[in-house]
Amino acid sequence: QVTLRESGPALVKPTQTLTLTCTFSGFSLSTSGMCVSWIRQPPGKALEWLALIDWDDDKYYSTSLKTRLTISKDTSKNQVVLTMTNMDPVDTATYYCARSWRTPATGGLDYWGQGTLVTVSS
Amino acid sequence: EIVLTQSPGTLSLSPGERATLSCRASQSVSSSYLAWYQQKPGQAPRLLIYGASSRATGIPDRFSGSGSGTDFTLTISRLEPEDFAVYYCQQYGSSPVTFGPGTKVDIK
């Protein structure tokens, strides 16, 4: 079955760089149409999409955060990594990774990790 | 960037009632690439609807989606106790992907 799990530090200091890893199973990111996204959610607030990487290694980023984000994949390890530079307390949020599969019969983010809470504080 | 607006912000209803949630886009959503998600406290979102009107695997048929272009609707025909949650729409037809601010459905 498909599973995704986020990992990374629970606490980072302002100005530091955050590195999060999404480790998945049950699908391959080399399959045509397969994509993994990162989404975050500050406490009590709405979902915010951050970045996506697809099977062809194309990358897409949030307009407001693209200067701070880098997404990459390691297909052999079934991992997707997100880095976010210059962290600020407003970046405190639960960070999720999720899968999507672009086919005529599918759509949306159909599998999600459980999320990891990242707090930015000195 | 496509901005999604959801209304109402909060919907207070009783079990058994019909819920109608709206999602409006600032420009046309390509190929109806519009999805709806349900999120309960402390849980990750769950995909309900994709392609504006297709139910995801395992989603009960009391959930239905409709619309095209810039106006979309999620309807829950008869609210069950487990349906009280926050609902988000998302467009994935053009980059960047965007989410709406959510509609909370709570118990009246």
Side-chain angles (χ1 to χ4, degrees), chain A residues 62-103:
Chain A
S62 159
T63 302
S64 60
L65 293 168
K66 61 183 175 182
T67 60
R68 298 174 54 205
L69 296 173
T70 302
I71 192 170
S72 61
K73 64 182 173 77
D74 186 331
T75 305
S76 65
K77 291 184 179 178
N78 282 350
Q79 290 182 333
V80 171
V81 174
L82 181 77
T83 61
M84 180 180 292
T85 61
N86 194 25
M87 293 292 285
D88 183 272
V90 300
D91 296 314
T92 294
T94 295
Y95 287 76
Y96 296 99
C97 62
R99 182 196 90 157
S100 56
W101 193 10
R102 293 182 202 151
T103 75

Side-chain angles (χ1 to χ4, degrees), chain A residues 39 41 45-49 60-63 96 105-110 112-114, chain B residues 1 35 37 39 43-47 50 88 90 92 95-102:
Chain A
I39 304 98
Q41 185 172 39
K45 295 189 177 181
L47 301 168
E48 179 182 20
W49 179 83
Y60 304 87
Y61 296 101
S62 159
T63 302
Y96 296 99
T106 59
L109 298 160
D110 56 359
W112 293 65
Q114 82 276 14
Chain B
E1 173 171 327
Y37 300 85
Q39 188 179 33
Q43 296 184 16
R46 177 173 72 145
L47 177 66
Y50 64 92
Y88 295 95
Q90 176 217 19
Y92 53 98
S95 186
V97 171
T98 49
F99 284 95

Side-chain angles (χ1 to χ4, degrees), chain B residues 10-103:
Chain B
T10 302
L11 194 54
S12 297
L13 295 168
S14 301
E17 290 194 294
R18 182 184 187 89
T20 303
L21 288 67
S22 173
C23 177
R24 180 161 291 176
S26 60
Q27 53 190 282
S28 184
V29 176
S30 173
S31 302
S32 294
Y33 286 154
L34 192 287
W36 290 92
Y37 300 85
Q38 176 193 69
Q39 188 179 33
K40 297 179 182 178
Q43 296 184 16
R46 177 173 72 145
L47 177 66
L48 300 176
I49 301 287
Y50 64 92
S53 60
S54 297
R55 269 188 302 277
T57 302
I59 301 303
D61 61 7
R62 65 180 181 272
F63 292 92
S64 63
S66 62
S68 63
T70 60
D71 288 295
F72 299 88
T73 301
L74 175 70
T75 302
I76 311 171
S77 58
R78 293 173 312 278
L79 282 163
E80 297 288 340
E82 62 268 27
D83 299 337
F84 292 93
V86 180
Y87 293 84
Y88 295 95
C89 59
Q90 176 217 19
Q91 70 79 24
Y92 53 98
S94 62
S95 186
V97 171
T98 49
F99 284 95
T103 290

